[in-house]
Amino acid sequence: MSTTFRFTEPLPPKAATGRVAEVYEQLARDFGIDKAPTFVVLSSAPEILAPTWALMRESLIAGAGSRTGKELAAYGVSHANKCPFCVDAHTVLLHATGDHALAERLARGERPENEEHARVLSWGQHTRVPGAGLMPYPFPPEHAPAYIGTALSFHFINRIVSSLLTEQLMPGNVQRWRPVRSLAGRSMAGTVRRTAVPGAALALLDEQAAGPAWAAGTTVGPAYAALRAATAAGADLLDEDEQAVVRETLWDWDGSHPPLSWPALPDRREQPGARLAVLAALAPYRITQEDVTAWRRPEHTDRCLVRLVAFGAFAAVDRIESSFTLHAARERS
């Protein structure tokens, strides 16, 4: 039987208990999809699932600013990261906001007619390059925490999706047909256009820290801090040398997609864990069954694989986020 999941076999959502079940309940209420594969694939690691949902909810769904604008930013991020699953998802969600013409222009590969929309889309695309495209923001400064949180949320989610899911948003990729994506969007319109109260997802977190300066005073900050802490714990799956390889590779990264001939990529036989983490960070769509098999030993459960991929994925997010933190520090000085 075909499945949308690669390398793992998550439990069916109907079997969920505890915090995982609580996340699914919020997904159904605030996102409109209680069994979204994007989140189901993380369910074997609830400590990763909960803050991933919290960051997306508190920025994209409940954060300040236009939902259309934030969907455009997320679309731009997903396009820059070469994540067709998420590109298609945000096209459907733009139909859900009621912006049908805009959604179809993007589906045809065309630039938005509205100049403000075009600037937001471009900003989202440029966030992949650490330090690029930061200022001036194409949105009001008071909306920056929600827009930045949305961008960083999808820099993480794109990498999880490309690593652990197939490219099919719907069976047979039927969302590539205009009537299907339009109908799917309209079916979610009531949820997407409903106003969400900030903070509901924070109760799902293990602990709450203030978060980075760019998110000060918002519920986005604690969600980001929780995801950073949860993913950092995945470093325990690598030895010190492998951790150093990941850090050094990310430090030198300029936002580009690695070439097919990539000398810096760790060897599959010698450092399989570091290889998976680096691929998850910079080219998750290139992870193969051979890469996973080379690393996976009997003690490596699905939870271990999710944690390792999340560690690598967030290493890239942290590299991108550092530019926003630096800018916020300069603004305060």
Side-chain angles (χ1 to χ4, degrees):
M1 182 180 297
S2 63
T3 173
T4 192
F5 303 108
R6 298 203 306 154
F7 316 131
T8 69
E9 297 180 5
L11 286 175
K14 64 182 180 181
T17 60
R19 183 160 47 165
V20 174
E22 292 181 67
V23 170
Y24 290 161
E25 182 181 351
Q26 287 197 9
L27 276 167
R29 183 182 66 242
D30 295 335
F31 190 48
I33 309 174
D34 60 342
K35 301 174 184 177
T38 310
F39 295 96
V40 174
V41 76
L42 296 172
S43 61
S44 62
E47 71 277 23
I48 303 291
L49 168 65
T52 301
W53 160 244
L55 181 57
M56 192 189 84
R57 184 197 184 277
E58 300 304 320
S59 56
L60 175 70
I61 297 172
S66 157
R67 178 64 182 265
T68 294
K70 288 179 287 183
E71 288 292 347
L72 276 168
Y75 182 102
V77 168
S78 301
H79 188 271
N81 288 329
K82 299 183 179 181
C83 182
F85 182 105
C86 292
V87 165
D88 288 347
H90 293 296
T91 306
V92 169
L93 286 164
L94 281 168
H95 274 291
T97 67
D99 295 284
H100 306 295
L102 173 59
E104 289 309 306
R105 285 190 69 86
L106 294 179
R108 294 191 299 269
E110 299 174 4
R111 187 175 187 269
E113 289 185 306
N114 180 290
E115 189 57 35
E116 180 181 343
H117 287 166
R119 289 197 301 271
V120 171
L121 176 64
S122 178
W123 177 85
Q125 291 174 318
H126 281 88
T127 58
R128 180 176 166 93
V129 181
L134 291 181
M135 298 295 287
Y137 292 139
F139 39 75
E142 60 270 24
H143 296 170
Y147 274 87
I148 295 171
T150 295
L152 296 175
S153 174
F154 283 96
H155 275 298
F156 182 70
I157 290 172
N158 289 168
R159 288 167 168 80
I160 294 296
V161 167
S162 293
S163 296
L164 300 176
L165 299 181
T166 70
E167 294 184 357
Q168 295 192 41
L169 178 66
M170 297 179 185
N173 273 331
V174 293
Q175 77 281 352
R176 303 284 169 82
W177 293 81
R178 175 174 180 166
V180 174
R181 58 179 173 259
S182 176
L183 181 62
R186 291 172 194 273
S187 72
M188 300 173 63
T191 302
V192 169
R193 300 180 199 182
R194 184 189 308 141
T195 300
V197 178
L202 300 188
L204 300 170
L205 305 179
D206 288 327
E207 56 186 61
Q208 295 184 27
W214 53 262
T218 72
T219 57
V220 177
Y224 184 85
L227 185 55
R228 171 189 276 163
T231 55
D236 64 10
L237 291 161
L238 303 175
D239 62 31
E240 291 185 4
D241 288 343
E242 289 179 310
Q243 291 179 36
V245 167
V246 176
R247 285 195 302 269
E248 291 165 7
T249 302
L250 267 295
W251 181 256
D252 292 335
W253 181 51
D254 61 2
S256 61
H257 288 270
L260 289 177
S261 178
W262 185 7
L265 182 64
D267 184 83
R268 184 183 291 139
R269 292 167 296 179
E270 295 179 4
Q271 293 185 311
R275 181 185 180 92
L276 277 175
V278 169
L279 282 169
L282 304 186
Y285 44 82
R286 285 169 57 179
I287 293 177
T288 67
Q289 183 64 63
E290 290 75 17
D291 293 321
V292 175
T293 299
W295 167 78
R296 206 159 191 175
R297 298 193 296 269
E299 67 270 25
H300 288 151
T301 62
D302 281 357
R303 177 173 177 266
C304 293
L305 180 58
V306 167
R307 292 179 67 236
L308 179 58
V309 167
F311 169 74
F314 206 83
V317 176
D318 243 0
R319 178 78 174 87
I320 293 165
E321 187 273 340
S322 63
S323 301
F324 294 106
T325 292
L326 179 61
H327 174 72
R330 288 173 176 168
E331 285 287 290
R332 293 198 310 272
S333 63

